[in-house]
Amino acid sequence: IVSGVASELREVFTNLVINALDAMPDGGLLAIEARRTGDQAVLRFTDTGIGMPEEVRRRIFEPFFTTKGHAGTGLGLAISYGIIERHGGQIELASEVGRGSVFTITLPLAKGAHAAATERDERPTRGICALVIDDEEAVRDTLAEMLTEMGHTAVKVSSGPEGLRWLERASFDAVFTDLSMPEMDGWAVARHVRARWPEIKTLLVTGYGASLEPNGEWTELVDAVISKPFSFDEIAATLARLMTAPSEPLPR
């Protein structure tokens, strides 16, 4: 949690997204991540665009400097730089021609947020081993990273069949499975897990979570539904509810 003017910070984030899209005229990937490091919030915008040479990178935050010709004012990043500075933070850029760019924003946590986050992190919990099944690399990487930061172990796989092979040879406490996947969807994964490993907690990750009826099929096949986009606190709270004093996995 940071303290600031929401509209101004939104302007910065929007500007970085637009710049990333402009830097990927033939398509690409934009990854946005946020995490807490000590008493600071760190946000990173990583694109796979055309990148920029060092002489451009050094001047990118200067007022009226632009690489967009008549299409740009040269003020967007300069304004963004000023907004972040007014919020007591920093914005930095790393870039390489042909290899994309990374904008990193560091902002101080709001007063009391660091203490609250530390208290949350220090709550005694048993680390679990989770299997993350999702055909979208960005989603499974994000979820696995969140689990790792919570002190858990995460194994990432890209398909239902691959996940079932892992379940055959290793012990897991929880399975996070995406709903919409080719070859084998989340429901099929959940049915296999419930039938063969009923002791494992199964969590369905979906962009359609709100539309699932609470008394529908999912109540018998999965232990929880996680709606996309999910947050660190949502995952932590769901695991805390499901894994309270969990028993050891049954031997295979």
Side-chain angles (χ1 to χ4, degrees):
I1 301 174
V2 299
S3 179
V5 181
S7 60
E8 291 188 351
L9 293 176
R10 192 180 303 117
E11 179 181 353
V12 174
F13 304 153
T14 300
N15 189 45
L16 293 181
V17 170
I18 292 173
N19 274 276
L21 295 178
D22 289 342
M24 299 185 290
D26 298 321
L29 176 67
L30 170 62
I32 303 174
E33 57 179 315
R35 67 177 64 190
R36 178 181 60 83
T37 300
D39 58 355
Q40 295 179 319
V42 179
L43 299 93
R44 187 171 288 114
F45 296 73
T46 305
D47 69 65
T48 57
I50 58 177
M52 60 189 76
E54 179 61 20
E55 59 268 27
V56 173
R57 187 199 66 80
R58 287 198 304 265
R59 300 186 60 194
I60 202 66
F61 296 110
E62 293 180 12
F64 305 108
F65 178 79
T66 180
T67 60
K68 301 178 183 180
H70 296 297
T73 64
L75 291 174
L77 288 175
I79 292 173
S80 296
Y81 188 92
I83 290 173
I84 296 301
E85 276 206 327
R86 287 199 301 274
H87 283 75
Q90 293 181 325
I91 179 170
E92 299 175 334
L93 167 64
S95 185
E96 185 176 342
V97 175
R99 303 193 65 178
S101 301
V102 181
F103 283 89
T104 302
I105 295 175
T106 305
L107 291 166
L109 291 178
K111 185 177 181 181
H114 176 57
T118 301
E119 181 180 350
R120 178 193 68 193
D121 290 346
E122 292 179 350
R123 289 180 300 185
T125 57
R126 181 176 80 85
I128 68 167
C129 185
L131 179 64
V132 178
I133 307 173
D134 200 301
D135 61 316
E136 293 186 48
E137 182 179 5
V139 176
R140 65 175 181 268
D141 285 351
T142 298
L143 180 51
E145 185 174 345
M146 286 182 178
L147 291 168
T148 300
E149 289 188 6
M150 294 175 199
H152 305 310
T153 300
V155 174
K156 302 177 294 183
V157 299
S158 60
S159 70
E162 185 182 1
L164 296 181
R165 288 193 290 272
W166 268 95
L167 287 165
E168 292 279 2
R169 62 178 186 260
S171 295
F172 293 94
D173 301 291
V175 171
F176 290 80
T177 178
D178 184 34
L179 173 58
S180 299
M181 296 185 292
E183 191 174 2
M184 177 181 286
D185 67 10
W187 289 128
V189 171
R191 291 188 187 96
H192 278 82
V193 175
R194 187 64 88 220
R196 299 194 57 187
W197 304 283
E199 76 281 2
I200 296 178
K201 301 298 184 183
T202 305
L203 300 90
L204 190 72
V205 183
T206 173
Y208 308 99
S211 66
L212 296 179
E213 293 295 333
N215 59 349
E217 181 184 26
W218 75 263
T219 59
E220 297 182 0
L221 289 181
V222 301
D223 297 283
V225 174
I226 303 293
S227 297
K228 298 177 185 178
F230 46 78
S231 67
F232 184 101
D233 288 339
E234 180 184 6
I235 300 298
T238 301
L239 284 178
R241 174 174 58 83
L242 295 180
M243 309 303 295
T244 301
S247 58
E248 293 298 322
L250 298 178
R252 307 252 211 279

